[in-house]
Amino acid sequence: MAKLNWGMIGGGEGSQIGPAHRLGAQADGNFVLAAGALDVDAEKGRAYAQSLGVSPDRAYANWQEMLAGEKDRPDRVDLVTVATPNSTHFEITRAFLKAGFNVLCEKPMTMTVEEGEEIVRVAAASGKICAVNYCYSAYPMVREMRQMVASGDIGKVRLIVTNFSHGHHGDATDADNPRVRWRYDPAMAGVSGQFADCGIHALHMAGFIAGDDVATLSADFASTIPSRTLEDDALVNFRTTGGTVGRLWTSSVAIGRQHGFDIQVFGETGGLRWASEQPNQVFYTPVGGRTQIMEKGENGLSDEAGRLSRVAIAHPEGFPLAVANIYVDLAAAIRGEHRPALPTAEDGLRSMAAVYAAVESAAASGAWVDARPPMFR
């Protein structure tokens, strides 16, 4: 099967997320990096793209030049990844969708709910895929949990407890570090800091595994380092449309925690637990029974978990391969296959609506508010 042409905007040399995308997109031979506008410094971006094998005429100075250069090419890119700062996601994603390109956007997809609704409408009108990189949902054992819930293995889900908390921004003396400071600056990050950065991964995961959407929430935000305008710690209670109770904690000042993303799902007849730092395992406890450790790659798992496991049992699979699984499903979807687990623009919109709802709730001392986007109410 012929490789698909892939283009990347942002994610240049020194980027935190760029290498994961390049490893992930090309891990399975589905995509080849054919075009890129990789850096806000045009010459630096051109040079780095060419060092990665992009031909000089497709190593672009900026995304506008890339759009103009690619749109009429017979071999134009089949997918564009947007890995730029948050405030640019909307403009770039909308422009490429309108021009008929498939897009994978980093999260958060937009800075406002209104922008998110516009992306959903543009994607629907274009007939193209707009995916959002909620890559933690693509770990094989997360897919196994989702399948177990859908199959009724733990009965109706009653309660979800999740957190995404680390301590890497807990040093007040490092508050002016540019790589840290922007996350708490409304001009760069939007209305929310830690919840929009990490908390929405946990919130998306809760809905993804449960097969349900967040309907209402109540939030408490704190800026524990006084120089920060936006929150660096948040506690969010939520309820889903199906009545599931949710508890979410997210923090960047939890010194001693490293990655700190885990989720527990409790149903009528059993419970499940997964942690990103031990992603090969799911702990499953049937009601009245012993806890079992389910291992990636073992016999008896769902087809979905097996399909996305690419190294032998007992060998760890990490973050770049989770990103690779997003690209596996994208390649299949571009080629016309149905991939219902692929996070889309609607997921990105629901996340942004939850961010704004949490900000509203926190400002109102934790009042319960509607977390649904207006277009889905």
Side-chain angles (χ1 to χ4, degrees):
M1 190 174 295
K3 290 187 177 183
L4 300 167
N5 285 329
W6 172 53
M8 191 172 191
I9 303 169
E13 189 171 14
S15 163
Q16 182 178 355
I17 197 64
H21 278 284
R22 286 186 287 276
L23 289 168
Q26 299 173 97
D28 298 277
N30 287 312
F31 293 96
V32 59
L33 182 60
L38 302 184
D39 201 289
V40 67
D41 182 322
E43 292 311 309
K44 184 178 177 181
R46 287 183 191 275
Y48 190 56
Q50 291 177 63
S51 76
L52 296 173
V54 175
S55 63
D57 64 318
R58 302 180 83 175
Y60 298 104
N62 53 54
W63 70 264
Q64 295 93 336
E65 185 178 283
M66 179 168 158
L67 178 60
E70 290 294 312
K71 66 180 182 179
D72 295 323
R73 291 183 67 108
D75 61 345
R76 74 183 203 162
V77 292
D78 300 287
L79 174 70
V80 175
T81 291
V82 179
T84 55
N86 297 356
S87 60
T88 65
H89 289 179
F90 169 68
E91 182 181 20
I92 299 171
T93 297
R94 180 178 63 172
F96 276 86
L97 285 171
K98 282 189 170 183
F101 291 89
N102 299 299
V103 176
L104 171 62
C105 184
E106 265 300 329
K107 45 61 60 183
M109 183 179 74
T110 61
M111 295 281 277
T112 70
V113 177
E114 293 76 15
E115 288 176 349
E117 292 189 333
E118 173 69 3
I119 292 296
V120 169
R121 286 190 289 265
V122 170
S126 71
K128 295 298 179 179
I129 297 164
C130 180
V132 181
N133 191 34
Y134 287 114
C135 55
Y136 298 102
S137 68
Y139 276 100
M141 297 310 287
V142 171
R143 295 287 180 93
E144 180 68 15
M145 291 174 73
R146 175 182 164 96
Q147 183 61 45
M148 290 179 70
V149 170
S151 298
D153 291 348
I154 64 169
K156 178 178 172 57
V157 176
R158 292 170 172 164
L159 172 66
I160 298 174
V161 179
T162 183
N163 78 84
F164 196 158
S165 303
H166 63 84
H168 300 299
H169 301 164
D171 183 356
T173 65
D174 196 40
D176 286 332
N177 181 336
R179 294 189 66 178
V180 174
R181 187 179 62 236
W182 77 266
R183 299 176 187 273
Y184 307 97
D185 179 356
M188 295 289 290
V191 298
S192 170
Q194 177 63 14
F195 184 63
D197 187 24
C198 294
I200 58 173
H201 272 299
L203 196 70
H204 173 265
M205 183 80 85
F208 179 82
I209 291 173
D212 205 352
D213 297 313
V214 174
T216 60
L217 60 76
S218 167
D220 179 39
F221 283 6
S223 298
T224 66
I225 294 179
S227 62
R228 291 175 177 165
T229 303
L230 299 176
E231 85 287 349
D232 52 23
D233 187 275
L235 185 66
V236 179
N237 292 309
F238 61 91
R239 301 289 189 276
T240 71
T241 56
T244 299
V245 175
R247 316 290 190 202
L248 186 157
W249 173 49
T250 185
S251 181
S252 63
V253 294
I255 295 172
R257 294 181 67 94
Q258 295 303 318
H259 191 266
F261 183 15
D262 58 59
I263 187 166
Q264 298 176 84
V265 182
F266 304 104
E268 295 172 325
T269 60
L272 300 166
R273 175 164 59 91
W274 178 86
S276 65
E277 293 177 22
Q278 293 85 36
N280 284 4
Q281 298 176 337
V282 166
F283 289 75
Y284 166 51
T285 308
V287 64
R290 293 179 176 177
T291 297
Q292 306 169 30
I293 300 176
M294 303 167 58
E295 192 81 29
K296 176 204 66 68
E298 68 185 9
N299 293 330
L301 299 181
S302 66
D303 291 343
E304 185 75 351
R307 179 176 67 84
L308 296 179
S309 297
R310 55 269 301 310
V311 294
I313 189 170
H315 290 77
E317 292 186 28
F319 183 80
L321 287 183
V323 175
N325 287 338
I326 293 289
Y327 281 97
V328 165
D329 280 351
L330 267 168
I334 291 169
R335 290 168 174 147
E337 298 180 34
H338 183 50
R339 285 290 185 264
L342 184 66
T344 66
E346 292 192 1
D347 296 292
L349 169 59
R350 290 186 186 279
S351 293
M352 188 48 55
V355 167
Y356 272 80
V359 170
E360 178 186 346
S361 173
S365 300
W368 283 86
V369 298
D370 195 326
R372 298 170 298 171
M375 71 186 301
F376 293 157
R377 295 179 185 175

